[in-house]
Amino acid sequence: MTARDILLPLALLALLAAGAIFGFFFAWVCSTMWGLDSTDPRVAIAAMQAMNASVRNPVFALAFFGTPVFLAAAASVAWAARTPRAALLFGLACALYLAGGLALTMMASVPMNEALAAVRIPADAAAARTIWVDYSADWQLWNIARTVVCAVVLLLVGAAFLTLRDSAPEHAAHG
């Protein structure tokens, strides 16, 4: 089995993981947070606390932590398969995800989520609204940033696939 034989399946795993994590962050941008913002802030706080606790699961972990592993592996195998443009694109996607997806989450979103988890939900709606509005605005800003980064990661993986198609042996033979 050659590097080229395992490159496509590995690249597909990288694509699937990058798409999954982009989709996860994107859903928060265009539905989840808007829904929470439109409800009673006491409900929003409780719901966000529950969602943040539930996201620590193997399915999410595979997409969140697996994405850079699949991207790095695809970059390495692409390099070994002598497809340097694909290797570069997978490598760039990996570096970008590590900085703007994984690290940004760990440095911004996780501390905010942990602080919200420690909040005792006030009975007073006005006090809860202050807590929620402060949390939601900042959290959404950082989530939009990591969503944009993950969109670029996904585009880079797509571009890597195009270079693989362009460098396929049968394409070169017929070209």
Side-chain angles (χ1 to χ4, degrees):
M1 182 171 274
T2 67
R4 200 172 266 287
D5 294 332
I6 61 171
L7 180 54
L8 185 58
L10 189 55
L12 286 170
L13 284 174
L15 178 67
L16 181 62
I21 202 64
F22 165 73
F24 177 81
F25 293 149
F26 181 73
W28 287 90
V29 169
C30 65
S31 64
T32 306
M33 293 306 288
W34 292 347
L36 293 173
D37 285 347
S38 70
T39 192
D40 181 313
R42 295 167 293 196
V43 171
I45 294 168
M48 192 68 167
Q49 288 172 332
M51 287 184 277
N52 286 334
S54 73
V55 79
R56 294 180 182 129
N57 65 68
V59 176
F60 175 76
L62 182 60
F64 186 70
F65 296 110
T67 295
V69 173
F70 296 137
L71 290 169
S76 298
V77 172
W79 185 259
R82 294 191 167 95
T83 54
R85 288 189 324 205
L88 175 64
L89 291 165
F90 284 124
L92 285 172
C94 183
L96 187 58
Y97 178 76
L98 286 170
L102 198 137
L104 182 59
T105 297
M106 301 309 277
M107 293 184 327
S109 302
V110 169
M112 292 177 72
N113 293 344
E114 289 175 350
L116 188 69
V119 167
R120 187 162 176 239
I121 301 169
D124 177 57
R129 179 161 311 285
T130 299
I131 293 167
W132 180 253
V133 168
D134 288 346
Y135 171 86
S136 177
D138 289 345
W139 193 93
Q140 288 187 65
L141 175 69
W142 291 114
N143 186 61
I144 290 168
R146 67 186 180 174
T147 302
V148 170
V149 166
C150 289
V152 174
V153 167
L154 190 55
L155 289 171
L156 288 169
V157 173
F161 266 94
L162 292 176
T163 68
L164 291 176
R165 180 199 65 193
D166 293 344
S167 66
E170 60 276 0
H171 185 272
H174 293 92

